[in-house]
Amino acid sequence: MTDIDIIRDNVHELERLAQLAEEAAELAQAALKLRRVYKSTGNPTPVTLQGAYQNLLEELADVKVCLAVLNLDASGTQWRVDQLAEEKLQRWAERLRPIETEA
Ligand SMILES: [Mg+2]
């Protein structure tokens, strides 16, 4: 039995979804903290650049684990997520194109 199987067998899907939401919120906080370290906002933090970056990686790993235990990393699902990501990437770049041509 794999680690993922043990978690799936013992933690209800609703709780695994709650865990994903919690870890996603922590990822958001880690990204904001790293931004705060990079950019002096007039509100200093004792966190180092290395510490903030390491924390971001840890929260990314936590989210990845949650996706795995929710089976959201399955190849069929991942194919659709990759497809949506490509569309969103194109849309984001499209919004920036007028800015790019003005510069
Ligand atoms: Mg976490």
Side-chain angles (χ1 to χ4, degrees):
M1 189 174 236
T2 68
D3 292 342
I4 287 177
D5 291 334
I6 292 168
I7 293 165
R8 284 180 184 155
D9 285 356
N10 289 283
V11 181
H12 192 278
E13 183 180 10
L14 294 180
E15 290 309 311
R16 286 181 271 140
L17 283 167
Q19 186 73 32
L20 173 60
E22 188 178 309
E23 298 301 347
E26 290 175 5
L27 176 59
Q29 290 173 348
L32 286 169
K33 181 68 77 177
L34 181 58
R35 178 193 182 274
R36 192 168 149 205
V37 172
Y38 274 135
K39 182 177 172 67
S40 176
T41 58
N43 186 17
T45 173
V47 176
T48 63
L49 178 61
Q50 188 178 17
Y53 184 74
Q54 183 60 38
N55 192 43
L56 183 73
L57 296 185
E58 286 185 25
E59 298 307 340
L60 272 171
D62 286 342
V63 167
K64 189 172 180 176
V65 166
C66 288
L67 295 177
V69 298
L70 283 162
N71 203 30
L72 290 171
D73 65 343
S75 60
T77 304
Q78 202 55 55
W79 180 86
R80 181 62 183 139
V81 169
D82 288 347
Q83 189 180 44
L84 288 167
E86 184 60 34
E87 291 169 13
K88 288 172 182 287
L89 195 60
Q90 286 174 3
R91 258 184 280 159
W92 188 357
E94 198 61 42
R95 289 196 298 271
L96 294 170
R97 286 229 161 74
I99 296 169
E100 183 186 63
T101 54
E102 286 172 13

